Amino acid sequence: QVQLVESGGGLVQAGGSLRLSCTASVRTFSSYTMAWFRQAPGKEREFVAAISWSGSRTYYADSVKGRFTISRDNAKNLVTLQMNSLKPQDTADYYCAADLGGITTRQLSYAYWGQGTQVTVSS
């Protein structure tokens, strides 16, 4: 069983930055593909970014490419999402996800999910 806990959400003005963190309670964290998804009010949950178990491969949604950076520290069981140049349309609940499978953007492929952290970007 993998437990994921997100932190770092909050309220920020447009153009600002936030850094989300996700800590995993599992011994074999380095075996897991990690990802971030988000769900805006009234919308379906969507893919944001993913990182392979080694950190050597990353994928980003087109909407965040160039603004967001996903990274991981396997020694600390930690994955982070650095969000820069935030826009009001980035407002959403952000979820951390994990799976033993290969890197993918498909949310159905991720077996483990955190409870989410709220990000609000004001204009």
Side-chain angles (χ1 to χ4, degrees), residues 5-6 9 15 27-28 45-46 52-53 56 60 85 105 110 112 119:
V5 179
E6 303 97 334
R27 286 195 303 169
T28 56
R45 191 157 55 185
E46 65 176 6
S52 62
W53 63 271
S56 62
Y60 295 94
S85 302
T105 63
Y110 290 88
Y112 304 101
V119 171

Side-chain angles (χ1 to χ4, degrees), residues 7-75:
S7 61
L11 173 64
V12 64
Q13 288 189 330
S17 298
L18 278 177
R19 185 178 181 89
L20 304 184
S21 296
C22 173
T23 301
S25 60
V26 62
R27 286 195 303 169
T28 56
F29 177 75
S30 61
S31 299
Y32 286 79
T33 293
M34 301 298 297
W36 289 94
F37 290 80
R38 68 185 180 185
Q39 186 168 19
K43 296 188 177 181
E44 293 186 353
R45 191 157 55 185
E46 65 176 6
F47 170 78
V48 175
I51 188 166
S52 62
W53 63 271
S54 66
S56 62
R57 289 193 297 157
T58 56
Y59 287 168
Y60 295 94
D62 288 342
S63 59
V64 306
K65 204 171 292 183
R67 300 188 297 122
F68 291 11
T69 302
I70 188 171
S71 60
R72 66 188 298 160
D73 184 339
N74 287 340

Side-chain angles (χ1 to χ4, degrees), residues 84-119:
N84 298 328
S85 302
L86 283 161
K87 305 175 181 180
Q89 51 264 46
D90 294 318
T91 294
D93 291 327
Y94 283 72
Y95 297 88
C96 178
D99 199 77
L100 286 169
I103 190 169
T104 177
T105 63
R106 297 178 67 249
Q107 60 178 300
L108 291 178
S109 296
Y110 290 88
Y112 304 101
W113 293 83
Q115 293 300 307
T117 186
Q118 189 173 56
V119 171

